[in-house]
Every structure is written in structure tokens, then in C-alpha cells.
Amino acid sequence: MTEPVLSLRHVEITYQLRSGPVPAVRGIDLDLAAGSVIGLAGESGCGKSTIGNAILRLLPEGTLVTGEILVQGQDILLMKGKELRAVRWGKASIIFQGAMHSLDPVQRIDAQIAEAIQAHDAKVAAKATAKRVGELLELVRLPARRGQDYPHQLSGGQKQRVMIAMALACDPALVIADEPTTALDVMVQAQILDLLRELQAKLDLAVVFITHDLSVLTEICDRIAIMYAGQLVEEGDADTVFTHPSHPYTKALGHAFPRIGDPADRYTPAGLDGDPPLPQDLPTGCSFHPRCPVAEDRCRVETPPLVPTATGGKAACLLVERGGEA
């Protein structure tokens, strides 16, 4: 069996604040094979971006991370100095959310992409670097000449394409896409998703796609993992999780967005009462029970494990028994 490009084993992440420790991620286990795409979805504050940043050790200094984060079989939590630097951008890279704020406003685009290349291989000649930068821009459907532009001369969608080009600069096997379409309008969002699909297939990339929009994940992902209050509550095949969710929270996420298609299939989006719990003040039992429409008394005291579902995935719900759903 081929070794996963990314493996998370019992990963727990706690921020150390003046007010005390804040548990952001609690016991995550995930595997991602080469050439496959997994989506992380959930409301703001559930730990999605924290996981993405933890994979490349980009969390604030002092943050406590335990467990194992294996990139191509190597635990990045045990790495130091040059070894960690070789993984960042060389084996795994990240497309940050908010391209508007991720590019240096006083540097030309080609210089910013070239910096990533030369930082990992100082022996690359300037001419070869310039050629590579032009190829990367054309790969993301931008003319090579746009490398001479400054960020303010590009549209939001073009800036996001530059961020994708930078992430691919050193031919990584793993790319983390942290809400890369959130700030874009619907038409540009569709173009970026189409580009990511094309590049993922062409380059055989393993991708972790992070978003709060469950409907976006069905466009690009093979599998979806749903997070709530720092834990996985459901994982499975992308289409199945979206169309036949097993966990009540996944169902609520799916109903938060309108489905466009045959008028007979349309329905009014429904919200979910209440707010996610504060990480430092989690409820007892199932973290979702204060907002769950089908919660029972035992949900308030028992913590549900991830168990197999009838659809071939897993869900952390006491009402989900093998062969059934909540």
C-alpha cells in the first residue's frame, strides 16, 4: 500500500493566551493519498485553518502541538532548521486566504515568485528562475508579462492565481488551500475552482482544501471532513457527505446554502440556532448537543466517537449506529 502524502495522528493544538490555554484542535486523525483532495469544512473557529498552518509549522510561537504530522512519512513536529525549511514549499506549500494581503505591495509579481524558488535553491541561475516564473504564470492562466506588474495592478482573481503560482514554485507534492475563493465573486470563484481542479489533475497534487462552504467542496474534493469545536464529526466520500450526511451538524451545513438546478429540487436555506461553543468553555458530552435538533439526554454526558456509517464514512454521533444515521 502506498504511503500517504499526509497523515495526522492524534493531533491536538492548544493556543497559549494570557487568559489561559485555548484548545483549538482536539484529537484529529486524517490520511491523504497522493493525487487526492480532502476538504475541511466547518464554521469559523472550528480549527480548519489551525490545522492547515500546523502542517507547515506556521502557528504562533508557544502554541502547543502534540501527536504526529507526517509529510511523506516524516514527522514535521520533530524537524528543525534546514530540515523543516526543505519541507516548506519543497514538499508542501500553502495558498493563504486573502491574496489582497499576502502579496508585498512594493515588489513586482515576478520578484515575489522568484524569491520562493531561490530561497530553496540558491544555485538556480537568474535566467532559469525568470523562465520558471514565466512558466508558472502561464500555468495559472496569466500571461508571463504580468510578472512585471505590481499587486495593485491585478484584480482579485489574478492575485489569487499568483498565490497559486507561488505555491507551485518548488513542485510540492502537497498543497494546502486555505479558503482560496472566499473573497472572490461567484464567477471568479468558479474560475479559480476550475483552475485548481485542472492543476491538481495535471500535477497529481495532494490537496487539503479548507472552506466554510460545503457546496464548494463537492466541486473539487474526493473526500470531505467536517469539523466542529476542534474535532472531526463526519468524514466520507464528498458526494455522499453532501447529499446524504449522517451527522446533524453536516445536515445543517448543507441546508445553509441554496441548491441550484431543477426548480423542483430548490428549497429555502435554513439557519442553525445558537453559536459554536468557545474552545475554552466547551459543553460536556457531545460539543454539538446545545444546538442539535435531535439531541437526547445522553448526548449531554457522553462523548461520541467516530463510528462507521451506512454510507461508508464515519460520524461522531451517539444516534448514529452502524448501518444508520441520526
Side-chain angles (χ1 to χ4, degrees):
M1 184 177 178
T2 305
E3 182 179 66
V5 172
L6 173 69
S7 292
L8 306 183
R9 294 286 177 266
H10 314 300
V11 173
E12 298 196 355
I13 304 172
T14 303
Y15 292 111
Q16 305 295 334
L17 304 183
R18 292 181 180 179
S19 57
V22 178
V25 172
R26 302 181 292 139
I28 297 293
D29 290 276
L30 275 178
D31 284 317
L32 179 63
S36 62
V37 185
I38 190 167
L40 288 182
E43 292 169 285
S44 296
C46 71
K48 308 182 301 296
S49 293
T50 294
I51 289 177
N53 286 313
I55 293 171
L56 290 175
R57 294 265 297 274
L58 298 175
L59 294 172
E61 186 176 352
T63 303
L64 178 62
V65 183
T66 60
E68 294 181 334
I69 300 178
L70 307 176
V71 176
Q72 293 186 325
Q74 296 180 298
D75 191 348
I76 68 106
L77 297 181
L78 302 178
M79 295 180 182
K80 296 180 180 180
K82 292 182 179 180
E83 189 178 13
L84 178 59
R85 186 181 180 86
V87 171
R88 291 173 174 165
W89 253 243
K91 293 184 178 180
S93 63
I94 186 168
I95 304 168
F96 292 106
Q97 57 178 306
M100 302 280 188
H101 311 294
S102 299
L103 295 171
D104 189 332
V106 299
Q107 292 288 330
R108 296 183 190 275
I109 295 303
D110 56 2
Q112 298 188 55
I113 299 176
E115 182 179 15
I117 298 171
Q118 293 173 335
H120 285 79
D121 191 352
K123 296 180 181 179
V124 178
K127 186 175 181 179
T129 300
K131 180 181 178 182
R132 174 63 174 160
V133 170
E135 292 172 347
L136 286 166
L137 289 173
E138 291 177 352
L139 186 64
V140 297
R141 304 176 189 169
L142 285 175
R145 58 181 171 78
R146 297 309 300 267
Q148 291 295 304
D149 291 342
Y150 289 95
H152 74 270
Q153 295 175 286
L154 304 179
S155 68
Q158 289 171 331
K159 288 187 181 76
Q160 197 62 66
R161 292 171 190 268
V162 170
M163 294 300 298
I164 295 171
M166 292 178 69
L168 300 176
C170 299
D171 295 317
L174 169 66
V175 172
I176 301 151
D178 188 3
E179 305 209 38
T181 62
T182 298
L184 306 175
D185 64 53
V186 175
M187 293 301 295
V188 177
Q189 183 181 91
Q191 293 170 7
I192 295 298
L193 286 174
D194 180 60
L195 173 62
L196 287 171
R197 275 196 304 266
E198 177 185 304
L199 293 174
Q200 187 273 328
K202 181 177 182 178
L203 303 176
D204 197 33
L205 296 170
V207 178
V208 178
F209 196 100
I210 299 170
T211 183
H212 63 278
D213 188 342
L214 192 60
S215 61
V216 167
L217 295 182
T218 61
E219 297 293 321
I220 191 171
C221 297
D222 305 308
R223 297 182 66 77
I224 292 177
I226 306 297
M227 292 188 65
Y228 186 81
Q231 293 182 310
L232 287 185
V233 295
E234 184 162 1
E235 180 188 357
D237 173 77
D239 289 335
T240 303
V241 169
F242 185 65
T243 58
H244 296 91
S246 296
H247 196 281
Y249 179 62
T250 310
K251 294 179 181 179
L253 278 183
H255 281 81
F257 300 94
R259 297 179 184 177
I260 301 173
D262 189 326
D265 293 332
R266 294 181 184 177
Y267 64 94
T268 302
L272 181 63
D273 292 336
D275 298 309
L278 295 174
Q280 61 270 43
D281 188 25
L282 295 170
T284 59
C286 174
S287 297
F288 184 59
H289 86 256
R291 306 172 71 192
C292 182
V294 295
E296 298 179 349
D297 289 341
R298 59 177 177 150
C299 299
R300 295 170 173 80
V301 294
E302 298 181 35
T303 302
L306 276 171
V307 296
T309 66
T311 56
K314 296 179 181 179
C317 179
L318 295 175
L319 303 183
V320 175
E321 300 177 356
R322 195 180 185 97
E325 63 179 49

